[in-house]
Amino acid sequence: MTVSAQTSTPMGHSAHKAGTLSPREQGVLWDMEEHFWTSGADNARATTANNAIMIFPYPPGILQGDQIWTHLKQSTGWRSVVMAERRVTRCHDIAILTYRVSAEKADVPIYKALCASTYLHDDDRWLRISHQQTMVA
């Protein structure tokens, strides 16, 4: 039995050509990500695509488009965040940030999670198209 060309993935495929971002571009994206946590829902909305998808621990779970902003009005504005184990990968106009976060605000236990945000570089600006948080102890 042979594997057809359709089911095998050639190593030359563009998805295998992950690139890097310049230090300036990385700084822009990490600043955007930190402000996503600390600057409130209006700032988060300004840096997020209209039909983005976000996944939060249940509830609320999976949110898309305007559903996101109803949830984020109550859960943004963290006083401080620490992002550790930062990683960035890029493939063409897509960049993915992954990190471990420890976030703090008044009257709320410290929130710890593993996070991933995906950004699209479009019309000379970066927009978040997805974000996921997985709580950790």
Side-chain angles (χ1 to χ4, degrees):
M1 183 178 207
T2 61
V3 176
S4 73
Q6 292 178 340
T7 60
S8 65
T9 305
M11 291 305 288
H13 190 275
S14 64
H16 292 285
K17 297 177 185 174
T20 59
L21 295 161
S22 71
R24 186 192 68 74
E25 285 178 305
Q26 287 189 38
V28 166
L29 286 172
W30 285 115
D31 285 347
M32 288 173 66
E33 195 69 8
E34 183 172 337
H35 285 101
F36 172 73
W37 287 85
T38 60
S39 295
D42 290 340
N43 175 271
R45 190 174 201 154
T47 59
T48 301
N50 290 336
N51 208 24
I53 295 175
M54 295 195 186
I55 303 170
F56 298 100
Y58 188 85
I62 301 170
L63 304 175
Q64 187 170 16
D66 288 337
Q67 295 174 324
I68 295 167
W69 312 116
T70 302
H71 169 69
L72 285 185
K73 284 184 197 275
Q74 294 107 29
S75 63
T76 58
W78 294 90
R79 178 174 46 205
S80 67
V81 294
V82 175
M83 296 180 199
E85 301 176 38
R86 293 180 181 207
R87 295 182 186 168
V88 179
T89 191
R90 179 181 193 165
C91 185
H92 299 288
D93 291 332
I94 302 278
I96 302 170
L97 307 181
T98 59
Y99 55 97
R100 178 182 294 268
V101 73
S102 178
E104 178 180 21
K105 65 178 159 183
D107 303 324
V108 176
I110 293 175
Y111 178 72
K112 295 182 179 184
L114 299 176
C115 300
S117 284
T118 303
Y119 287 85
L120 173 66
H121 193 253
D122 189 33
D123 286 336
D124 210 28
R125 74 184 265 224
W126 289 101
L127 280 176
R128 185 179 302 99
I129 58 174
S130 75
H131 176 78
Q132 178 173 351
Q133 299 176 12
T134 303
M135 284 181 58
V136 294

